[in-house]
Amino acid sequence: MPGRRDSSKRGRSSKHARNVNEDRSEARRTNPPSQMTRRKKKSRQRCGCLGFDMSSGNGSMLIVMVAVLLGVYLALAPIPPPPEPDEGGKEVFEFAEESPTLCQMEVLATYPHDPEAFTQGLLVHNGRLFESTGLYGKSVIKEVEIETGETIESTSLDDAMFGEGLTIFEDTLYQLTWRNNAVLRYSLDLKQKDSHHLEGEGWGLTTVIGTEAEEEDFLLLTNGTSIITFLDPKTLAAKRHVEVYFIDPRKGKRWPVSYLNELEFVDGRLYANMWGSDKVVVIDIWSGRVTYMLDLSILAETKETKYSASRENVLNGIAFDSNDGSLYLTGKRWPHLYKVKLPTFDTCAPLTR
């Protein structure tokens, strides 16, 4: 009759199934699965919710897709602000120190600047303006006429080198390189003297001349992080490290200040560009605390879309002129060099956000 099953066949089928299961159990005991087999099984279990078997081509494709999307995001995403602290997790350190004050700047003069110069370092010495530029195959160190922006003298770096920050010590110019692990030294006529090894990336460089209170001379180095390194100016050996931070006035929290770039040391204070920002931070080098921030949003290039929207053509370059106490500022591929008045810090306003 339709739907009726032969009981003898059912019995044979059940017995056969038991025999097969017993054979499989015996096989597992005598030939246990390899560690790789167990890993694949666990991988399939963990990734099953995504619909991908990581032991198959699908899993490899997923990894490739995630890597590509992450790379595109990192290339195009704007520089993120410091993250908010996790209220339910570990607290960021609390301090009773004051938050930095914000200083508005006054432009005294505007001069032409080479719009092709990828400025990485700027220096005024005895009224002479020196500039270090970057990019592979285009990096130079040069002397520039302030009023016209014309190059007086220049020396090109090797095509494999990427020029960075610039300073002077005992009438010798020091030029950083980005990832070449080298500091190049020149005479004032831009003839290269020698090259010194320097571990890690180079971004900004300036000089601290010892005083009666602090007899040692130092070079201060940045590498794009929140750390300033004190170097012996003759051996380039690292002497100490200081982390730069500021106090957030909203929460009274301490935040590290990253992307520190070009540097200038003036009257006991360190001035530093922050890569991608229209602000210059003023730092107490012994504690690392940011005490002031200079607002340079008044400069034309910080407002023009051609420059402000670019991740490359950013504000970079600070030079102090001791003859009249002014600062010279410019940026990467900026058509202007600005002479600004050194701020009177007692007139700066408290930073409220």
Side-chain angles (χ1 to χ4, degrees):
M1 293 179 61
R4 184 176 179 179
R5 297 180 180 177
D6 188 329
S7 59
S8 63
K9 289 182 179 179
R10 186 165 61 248
R12 288 196 300 272
S13 177
S14 300
K15 182 178 180 181
H16 176 68
R18 285 195 301 272
N19 291 337
V20 169
N21 289 336
E22 290 173 357
D23 291 342
R24 288 176 177 172
S25 298
E26 182 63 25
R28 280 195 296 269
R29 285 193 296 270
T30 57
N31 298 291
S34 67
Q35 187 176 11
M36 182 61 70
T37 302
R38 289 194 294 269
R39 286 177 180 171
K40 287 182 178 179
K41 185 175 180 180
K42 290 181 180 179
S43 176
R44 286 195 296 268
Q45 291 172 348
R46 284 194 292 265
C47 300
C49 60
L50 299 176
F52 285 92
D53 182 352
M54 295 303 288
S55 64
S56 69
N58 288 339
S60 300
M61 182 62 70
L62 174 63
I63 294 173
V64 172
M65 289 171 61
V66 171
V68 170
L69 290 174
L70 179 60
V72 171
Y73 170 77
L74 292 175
L76 300 180
I79 299 171
E84 292 292 336
D86 182 1
E87 299 298 340
K90 185 178 180 180
E91 286 286 331
V92 179
F93 302 109
E94 292 208 30
F95 287 82
E97 300 172 82
E98 295 180 356
S99 61
T101 55
L102 188 65
C103 306
Q104 303 300 322
M105 304 300 291
E106 178 185 351
V107 176
L108 301 176
T110 303
Y111 303 106
H113 180 254
D114 181 4
E116 298 300 317
F118 201 73
T119 306
Q120 301 285 49
L122 206 62
L123 170 71
V124 174
H125 177 66
N126 292 337
R128 301 167 64 185
L129 178 65
F130 295 92
E131 184 173 5
S132 170
T133 69
L135 299 178
Y136 293 110
K138 296 182 179 180
S139 294
V140 302
I141 181 172
K142 59 183 178 177
E143 182 180 355
V144 178
E145 188 175 67
I146 293 176
E147 290 76 11
T148 66
E150 297 294 325
T151 298
I152 298 172
E153 189 68 52
S154 70
T155 297
S156 297
L157 277 66
D158 185 275
D159 286 351
M161 287 190 166
F162 193 115
E164 282 286 347
L166 180 67
T167 194
I168 188 168
F169 178 73
E170 294 182 347
D171 287 335
T172 295
L173 296 167
Y174 289 64
Q175 183 184 29
L176 285 177
T177 57
W178 182 28
R179 292 177 172 173
N180 299 104
N181 300 123
V183 177
L184 310 179
R185 304 201 312 167
Y186 304 84
S187 58
L188 290 175
D189 59 0
L190 303 186
K191 299 295 190 292
Q192 185 175 339
K193 292 182 173 182
D194 52 31
S195 174
H196 282 248
H197 178 80
L198 181 68
E199 195 65 33
E201 293 187 9
W203 285 43
L205 193 66
T206 192
T207 304
V208 178
I209 300 300
T211 63
E212 292 182 3
E214 180 58 53
E215 295 182 357
E216 288 188 89
D217 301 324
F218 292 102
L219 301 184
L220 300 180
L221 168 77
T222 58
N223 61 2
T225 67
S226 60
I227 302 299
I228 293 173
T229 300
F230 290 61
L231 302 176
D232 183 298
K234 295 182 179 179
T235 66
L236 298 182
K239 294 297 185 180
R240 65 181 296 216
H241 305 277
V242 173
E243 182 179 43
V244 176
Y245 68 93
F246 78 100
I247 303 301
D248 185 343
R250 299 167 299 173
K251 297 180 178 292
K253 304 293 184 179
R254 169 174 168 162
W255 294 115
V257 179
S258 298
Y259 303 110
L260 296 173
N261 205 352
E262 228 272 291
L263 303 174
E264 184 68 286
F265 190 75
V266 183
D267 296 336
R269 296 184 175 101
L270 179 64
Y271 294 69
N273 282 121
M274 292 187 297
W275 183 76
S277 171
D278 61 4
K279 304 291 189 296
V280 167
V281 290
V282 183
I283 304 162
D284 171 42
I285 62 170
W286 306 113
S287 68
R289 186 167 72 92
V290 173
T291 54
Y292 303 96
M293 297 180 73
L294 310 186
D295 182 6
L296 296 166
S297 60
I298 58 171
L299 304 184
E301 285 82 355
T302 64
K303 300 175 183 178
E304 296 177 17
T305 304
K306 176 181 178 182
Y307 302 97
S308 61
S310 171
R311 288 175 62 88
E312 291 187 341
N313 301 335
V314 296
L315 175 70
N316 202 42
I318 312 171
F320 175 66
D321 188 350
S322 59
N323 290 333
D324 60 9
S326 61
L327 289 176
Y328 287 91
L329 304 167
T330 191
K332 302 179 182 184
R333 300 195 184 104
W334 282 21
H336 299 111
L337 171 73
Y338 296 93
K339 181 178 183 178
V340 302
K341 184 178 179 180
L342 199 67
T344 304
F345 292 106
D346 57 6
T347 63
C348 299
L351 184 66
T352 57
R353 60 181 178 86

